[in-house]
Amino acid sequence: MGRMTTKYLREKGVDVVAAYVRTTEGKDFSAPELQGVRICRPDEPFEPFGADIALMTHCSRLADLFEPAAKAARAGLDVLTIAEDAFEPFYIDSETARARELDAIFRANGRTLASVGVQDTFWFAQPLSFLASVQRLDRIIGRNICDLSAFGSAGQHAGQMGLTADEFHAQGHGAVSDHRGIFEVALRPLCRALGLAVLSTKVTNEPVLAEADMPVARLGRTIRKGTTCGMMERVVFELQGGVVAEGQFIMRFLPEGEGAFNEWVVEGLPGMNMRTDNFHGDVITCASLVNRVRDVMDAEPGFLSVDQLRAPRYQPALARRN
Ligand SMILES: NC(=O)c1ccc[n+]([C@@H]2O[C@H](COP(=O)([O-])OP(=O)(O)OC[C@H]3O[C@@H](n4cnc5c(N)ncnc54)[C@H](OP(=O)(O)O)[C@@H]3O)[C@@H](O)[C@H]2O)c1
């Protein structure tokens, strides 16, 4: 994500002065988008570059974001990240103290921290504008299908494939993690923007079963019909006024010819859906991040949620202000 983001920034006229990388060994830094960019180790200071903003694409969790983000704020930089757990600064769990401390550090330094990405454009702005055409909302379901074949070997969950539903649960794959779920975090700014308080939350991990025998090249074997070709993390929010909001994050191997997609289904008046095929998650993530640079630089100080920023939009170009 870091490399693609650097390329997109430069294409929009941003002066990228430095790229911070954890390991340099065995990596090729000869790509055109890295020419003129100083390659730095994480412990090098930010101050010498006189930059406006740091984009952080290295992590998902607040524990990993905390130190570089705090360092950036103290060096006078805004921070924009794709760390999934930072999408909802007001989430109450074991990470809350860390989030509050980040908020205090950013406020004290007059800088802004926000997390964007697919969550911002596809799971917040898109359903929010879609719902503006609805007279009565009973239930909204967000469904995102990721193709496991596109993941690296560590992300393929090979050990969880080819199991019956009973085997999936017996082996403990249905157990819910004690960590923030992806939609569990991502749907909260949407619920808040709709003005509907969350009354209860239920998270489940469910097997996704193959509809037919499915040869999977990345696994080097065939997944049999009726056995697992993926899993779904489902979150169901019961909201004020009897409204239900549901998120289905589905990671699966797809049958030949099918691709990843994102869909919103609305039950109410009217009942309707909005589906995006050809869902290029990597491009979408980096483009969403780059298009938000100006909004974060213009925002109030603190650790903010996207519902505290202006509505996201396409930015044809980004120029340095000073
Ligand atoms: N919000 C969204 O829409 C969204 C979408 C996609 C991905 N993500 C998240 O974004 C993160 C990056 O995804 P990815 O696919 O690019 O992962 P990746 O291929 O594993 O890349 C992460 C990179 O960050 C480097 N890194 C780790 N800690 C670092 C540090 N302290 N300082 C500098 N560099 C550091 C790693 O270095 P090494 O080479 O040393 O390991 C690696 O090169 C993941 O956590 C992912 O879950 C979010």
Side-chain angles (χ1 to χ4, degrees):
M1 296 299 154
R3 278 180 183 254
M4 195 181 277
T5 299
T6 306
K7 180 170 185 291
Y8 289 3
L9 285 167
R10 294 194 79 170
E11 283 173 1
K12 293 204 169 171
V14 174
D15 183 14
V16 181
V17 288
Y20 283 71
V21 295
R22 185 168 59 183
T23 36
T24 49
E25 300 76 31
K27 289 183 179 165
D28 178 8
F29 296 106
S30 63
E33 61 269 19
L34 292 175
Q35 299 320 298
V37 175
R38 186 76 190 277
I39 305 297
C40 299
R41 307 304 293 259
D43 60 353
E44 290 186 53
F46 292 137
E47 284 83 350
F49 298 104
D52 301 307
I53 187 165
L55 271 54
M56 298 194 177
T57 61
H58 68 289
C59 65
S60 296
R61 300 195 170 203
L62 287 187
D64 300 316
L65 181 68
F66 188 91
E67 202 186 307
K71 174 179 150 184
R74 292 183 178 120
L77 282 88
D78 294 312
V79 174
L80 188 50
T81 180
I82 54 170
E84 291 92 338
D85 286 1
F87 189 67
E88 169 56 309
F90 313 110
Y91 194 90
I92 305 295
D93 68 355
S94 58
E95 294 277 53
T96 305
R98 212 174 243 134
R100 294 301 88 211
E101 198 178 337
L102 275 174
D103 184 52
I105 293 168
F106 275 81
R107 278 176 198 276
N109 288 280
R111 299 288 108 197
T112 306
L113 166 64
S115 172
V116 296
V118 168
Q119 289 85 344
D120 181 26
T121 45
F122 272 86
W123 300 348
F124 174 73
Q126 200 185 72
L128 193 61
S129 64
F130 190 41
L131 286 170
S133 56
V134 169
Q135 169 62 13
R136 191 196 70 247
L137 175 63
D138 300 328
R139 188 181 194 97
I140 178 159
I141 303 167
R143 186 175 293 137
N144 190 273
I145 313 278
C146 307
D147 180 6
L148 281 177
S149 291
F151 287 31
S153 54
Q156 285 177 10
H157 303 271
Q160 297 177 34
M161 299 302 138
L163 306 176
T164 63
D166 287 346
E167 288 168 341
F168 179 88
H169 287 294
Q171 292 181 19
H173 302 308
V176 176
S177 155
D178 59 1
H179 196 75
R180 308 170 166 205
I182 190 160
F183 259 124
E184 191 184 350
V185 169
L187 284 186
R188 285 173 188 267
L190 175 67
C191 298
R192 192 166 49 241
L194 292 172
L196 296 173
V198 175
L199 304 181
S200 73
T201 311
K202 186 164 186 260
V203 181
T204 51
N205 274 345
E206 299 169 25
V208 175
L209 304 178
E211 298 84 4
D213 283 0
M214 191 194 301
V216 178
R218 288 298 296 265
L219 292 180
R221 62 188 161 102
T222 294
I223 292 176
R224 298 288 166 208
K225 178 182 176 182
T227 67
T228 46
C229 60
M231 69 288 284
M232 166 165 64
E233 182 186 290
R234 185 202 297 264
V235 61
V236 179
F237 290 103
E238 183 199 351
L239 306 178
Q240 223 174 354
V243 176
V244 173
E246 179 170 336
Q248 301 178 359
F249 188 67
I250 299 167
M251 294 185 292
R252 60 167 295 175
F253 288 100
L254 289 162
E256 184 77 26
E258 290 189 22
F261 68 87
N262 189 83
E263 183 175 33
W264 287 98
V265 178
V266 169
E267 294 173 10
L269 184 69
M272 56 181 170
N273 80 316
M274 174 167 60
R275 174 169 155 150
T276 305
D277 289 307
N278 302 316
F279 191 83
H280 297 285
D282 51 353
V283 176
I284 288 166
T285 301
C286 301
S288 301
L289 179 68
V290 168
N291 282 326
R292 272 303 205 180
V293 164
R294 183 163 290 161
D295 298 337
V296 167
M297 288 174 63
D298 288 346
E300 296 295 312
F303 181 9
L304 306 185
S305 164
V306 288
D307 55 325
Q308 295 170 291
L309 302 178
R310 71 162 79 99
R313 70 205 60 203
Y314 171 68
Q315 301 280 358
L318 297 163
R320 189 171 169 149
R321 294 180 161 232
N322 53 1

